[in-house]
Amino acid sequence: RHRGPDDQGVWNDAACGLAHARLSIIDLTPGGHQPMGSADGRVWVSFNGEIYNFQELRAELQAKGYSFRSQSDTEVIIYGYLAWGKRVIDRLRGMFAFALWDAAGKKLLLARDRFGKKPLYYARVGDVLLFGSEIKAILTWPQVDRTPDYVAIDQYLSLQYVPAPRTVFASISKLRNAHYLTVERSAAGWAMH
């Protein structure tokens, strides 16, 4: 809540849940509420950051027939995904980390900006994938293993930071900058790529 004092939201279906604490920057109206979904409810996103070229992308998407309900840069991620799939990430200029749930495809996409300005941590606990912008959000799940990663601690003491994907906890990873992670449902269960 301390990272987003302006608004909070929660959305879930049978396979995915998203929660968001919002700091309003671009669209200060309730239209910018997150998690934000597409008009048909197929795609949902929780987004941290700012997309600098969102107006250009918005105009391009409107020319393709997509209608927008807000002035938020968040909505460009949703309709950009519907238009271009995960290639939308390549078109985004800005600082960002986001989680996008494609309900129709039963697919989760986690993505992080090129310079790694906005963090994104994740941990797999059994059949559950937890993610958040802070490690302490993941640690609220009681079953998360809190065993230290001594290599990461050595890196911190030597370098004054921990290079991704490591964190000080062996069970928690940090998504590398300029990377994305997909989680898809298969016959064998959930698969991460």
Side-chain angles (χ1 to χ4, degrees):
R1 189 169 284 177
H2 68 280
R3 293 188 57 149
D6 297 330
D7 188 22
Q8 288 87 37
V10 176
W11 172 88
N12 68 287
D13 67 9
C16 180
L18 300 174
H20 190 86
R22 180 175 178 222
L23 175 63
S24 303
I25 301 290
I26 292 181
D27 185 344
L28 307 180
T29 72
H33 178 78
Q34 292 191 52
M36 182 181 287
S38 59
D40 63 3
R42 173 186 164 192
V43 173
W44 287 86
V45 71
S46 181
F47 159 66
N48 178 23
E50 186 175 347
I51 306 302
Y52 304 139
N53 64 330
F54 85 96
Q55 291 175 331
E56 170 190 321
L57 294 173
R58 180 186 173 109
E60 188 176 344
L61 290 163
Q62 285 174 320
K64 289 181 173 288
Y66 292 97
S67 297
F68 289 78
R69 296 170 289 159
S70 76
Q71 298 301 312
S72 173
D73 52 350
T74 306
E75 212 169 3
V76 167
I77 298 169
I78 293 169
Y79 293 110
Y81 175 81
L82 288 171
W84 306 304
K86 65 184 173 190
R87 291 186 331 250
V88 67
I89 300 166
D90 299 331
R91 302 188 68 151
L92 301 174
R93 289 196 313 264
M95 55 175 184
F96 59 85
F98 66 80
L100 182 143
W101 173 244
D102 179 344
K106 298 286 187 233
K107 188 178 347 184
L108 177 69
L109 175 64
L110 302 177
R112 195 161 172 230
D113 68 83
R114 289 161 190 80
F115 292 105
K117 177 78 175 168
K118 296 298 181 182
L120 186 56
Y121 299 94
Y122 63 94
R124 190 164 186 171
V125 181
D127 205 22
V128 173
L129 178 72
L130 305 166
F131 54 89
S133 57
E134 293 184 348
I135 289 176
K136 62 179 146 186
I138 294 170
L139 291 174
T140 62
W141 193 266
Q143 290 78 25
V144 172
D145 182 12
R146 287 159 171 77
T147 302
D149 180 337
Y150 293 108
V151 171
I153 293 170
D154 181 61
Q155 289 174 330
Y156 179 76
L157 294 172
S158 301
L159 306 171
Q160 297 300 302
Y161 77 101
V162 178
R166 291 185 181 278
T167 70
V168 296
F169 296 97
S171 66
I172 301 175
S173 298
K174 184 176 190 177
L175 188 63
R176 294 176 192 206
N177 53 315
H179 279 71
Y180 66 86
L181 173 70
T182 57
V183 183
E184 298 181 78
R185 186 70 155 164
S186 70
W190 292 98
M192 292 182 2
H193 334 304

